[in-house]
């Protein structure tokens, strides 16, 4: 057995994508695929918990042959890929979001602004040097003046700039809007702003409740600040070796990096129930 007699049985695994399940080239290693498929074959629920929208997760769900609810936008939405519908949505008011953007543009007029609106991308301009991973695969659904893009509830606001320019924007937005928003960061050139009730911790807890799985039977794996809530909440919180220092500090266990199949290592060591060979 990979666990001690007092260790909880893992019944659900929630894993981050970028920097965790995915290698740096944005592919899933054969080792990680095999481990996840073995976990599923043993009845373990496997859930992807990502900052990405559904369209940016779809190919990975298909590769892994998953049919579970996925967590998108850091938990601002839950999406049923099989039925192709949102099962939860916690958006920001469009007028309030515009106020955040106006402040950011006062600090830095050239900051890039992207809105995610239920799996659609709205922006007033695109900077090819500041694209998030999903934007490299899927173009914007609307490119228009700011006055034209703030007409629907905003699932997630993204502000993008080189790290040295983004820091004062981050500081000013946080100081001005405080607990009216939640700010998540997984890349040094990007801040993601969502409803203050949004967090991967809350999302994983709700999905676990949906599947009737207790906290102590949940393992969460991640690498960045936006993963810390779910890692801290889980019965077993895992950080990959390449994780941010603060993220590693709150994890129960550290596994090899995303380049070295850390997710597979975690599953093999802490989740799979290895059966003894039959007597002959």
């Amino acid at each position: 057995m990979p666990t001690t007699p007092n260790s909880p049985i893992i019944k659900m695994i929630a894993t981050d994508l970028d920097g965790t399940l995915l290698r740096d080239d944005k592919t899933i290693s054969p080792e990680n695929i095999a481990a996840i498929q073995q976990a599923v074959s043993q009845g373990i629920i496997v859930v992807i918990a990502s900052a990405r929208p559904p369209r940016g997760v779809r190919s990975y769900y298909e590769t892994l042959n998953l049919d579970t609810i996925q967590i998108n936008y850091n938990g601002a939405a839950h999406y049923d890929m099989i039925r192709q519908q949102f099962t939860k949505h916690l958006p920001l008011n469009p007028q309030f979001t515009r106020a955040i953007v106006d402040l950011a543009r006062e600090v830095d007029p050239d900051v890039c602004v992207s809105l995610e609106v239920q799996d659609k991308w709205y922006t007033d301009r695109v900077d090819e040097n500041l694209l998030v991973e999903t934007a490299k695969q899927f173009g914007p659904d609307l490119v228009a003046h700011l006055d034209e893009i703030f007409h629907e509830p905003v699932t997630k606001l993204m502000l993008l700039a080189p790290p040295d320019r983004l820091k004062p924007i981050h500081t000013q937005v946080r100081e001005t809007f405080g607990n009216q928003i939640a700010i998540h960061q997984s890349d040094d050139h990007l801040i993601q702003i969502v409803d203050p009730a949004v967090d991967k911790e809350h999302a994983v807890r709700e999905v676990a409740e949906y599947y009737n799985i207790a906290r102590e039977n949940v393992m969460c794996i991640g690498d960045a600040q936006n993963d810390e809530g779910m890692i801290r909440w889980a019965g077993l919180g895992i950080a990959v070796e390449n994780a941010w220092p603060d993220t590693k500090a709150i994890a129960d266990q550290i596994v090899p990096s995303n380049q070295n199949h850390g997710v597979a290592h975690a599953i093999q060591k802490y989740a799979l129930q290895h059966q003894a060979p039959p007597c002959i």
Side-chain angles (χ1 to χ4, degrees), residues 36-56:
I36 286 175
Q37 291 179 342
Q38 188 175 357
V40 171
S41 73
Q42 292 191 8
I44 297 173
I45 299 294
V46 178
V47 172
I48 289 178
S50 175
R52 293 191 186 205
R55 65 187 184 279

Side-chain angles (χ1 to χ4, degrees), residues 78-124:
H78 300 177
Y79 190 74
D80 186 331
M81 189 67 76
I82 301 302
R83 295 179 177 83
Q84 297 189 32
Q85 63 184 23
F86 287 92
T87 59
K88 181 177 181 179
H89 188 216
L90 283 174
L92 292 164
N93 174 278
Q95 289 74 36
F96 176 65
T97 311
R98 176 63 188 271
I100 299 171
V101 169
D102 287 345
L103 174 63
R105 285 268 167 94
E106 286 179 15
V107 177
D108 188 331
D110 294 323
V111 64
C112 284
V113 173
S114 289
L115 309 185
E116 283 287 332
V117 179
Q118 290 202 72
D119 209 22
K120 294 181 180 178
W121 173 23
Y122 299 167
T123 186
D124 64 338

Side-chain angles (χ1 to χ4, degrees), residues 143-214:
V143 180
H145 189 274
L146 286 182
D147 291 340
E148 298 178 47
I149 66 175
F150 286 96
H151 59 276
E152 296 180 56
V154 177
T155 311
K156 181 174 72 172
L157 165 65
M158 292 183 288
L159 301 175
L160 304 99
D164 60 325
R165 287 173 38 209
L166 188 64
K167 187 174 181 179
I169 298 170
H170 191 167
T171 299
Q172 190 62 50
V173 168
R174 184 178 292 281
E175 290 179 353
T176 302
F177 294 98
N179 60 9
Q180 295 176 275
I181 57 175
I183 302 179
H184 298 288
Q185 188 165 13
S186 56
D187 299 282
D188 59 7
H189 69 286
L190 163 69
I191 56 175
Q192 306 170 66
I193 299 172
V194 289
D195 182 275
V198 169
D199 186 89
K200 285 188 183 182
E201 173 189 341
H202 301 148
V204 170
R205 183 173 66 231
E206 290 167 352
V207 172
E209 289 173 355
Y210 174 81
Y211 288 112
N212 197 30
I213 296 172

